[in-house]
Amino acid sequence: MATKAPVTCHVLDTQTGKPAANVQVTLSKMDNTGASFSSLAQGITDADGRCTNIMEPQALPVGTYKMTFATKPYFEASNRETFFPFVEIIFDLKYPEQHYHIPLLLSAFSYTTYRGS
């Protein structure tokens, strides 16, 4: 049995140089036809910009997943505009025994991501 959520994330606001707290995060899985995603879990980033408890520790099946970050409300809360109302990161989970960490480096008009550890 896994000891932590199989997928976690971390959001950093590169404009302010600080963690992005209170960003809603949704984890979804692509259906077998590849036509749509179904929501599996939701969470909110903590004061350190992390969402480590988006779901209970468990193994996830191999498949294509999507992490959606609701960025517009985050920027609106600090009276900033953004070009991206949300950010979707789609990734293949090929090794269910491994942990998948999705960092998001965010500013109002750009973002980048990578597979973290």
Side-chain angles (χ1 to χ4, degrees):
M1 181 69 157
T3 59
K4 63 181 172 180
V7 179
T8 59
C9 66
H10 191 190
V11 184
L12 297 170
D13 185 331
T14 59
Q15 260 180 297
T16 63
K18 297 179 181 179
N22 300 312
V23 176
Q24 183 177 331
V25 181
T26 303
L27 178 66
S28 305
K29 185 177 186 308
M30 183 180 280
D31 68 16
N32 292 335
T33 67
S36 64
F37 285 87
S38 296
S39 176
L40 297 177
Q42 289 188 337
I44 296 176
T45 59
D46 62 16
D48 194 36
R50 296 178 184 275
C51 189
T52 57
N53 59 353
I54 192 167
M55 62 188 318
E56 295 295 319
Q58 62 184 287
L60 288 177
V62 170
T64 300
Y65 291 81
K66 175 171 62 173
M67 181 85 60
T68 303
F69 300 86
T71 55
K72 186 175 182 177
Y74 167 76
F75 284 108
E76 286 177 340
S78 60
N79 295 316
R80 295 186 285 165
E81 66 176 272
T82 181
F83 185 67
F84 304 104
F86 58 89
V87 172
E88 294 181 325
I89 299 170
I90 299 172
F91 60 98
D92 283 331
L93 190 147
K94 293 183 179 182
Y95 306 101
E97 69 282 359
Q98 294 182 6
H99 174 74
Y100 286 74
H101 184 66
I102 313 292
L104 176 64
L105 305 176
L106 179 66
S107 76
F109 299 100
S110 70
Y111 66 89
T112 190
T113 189
Y114 57 95
R115 178 167 178 197
S117 59

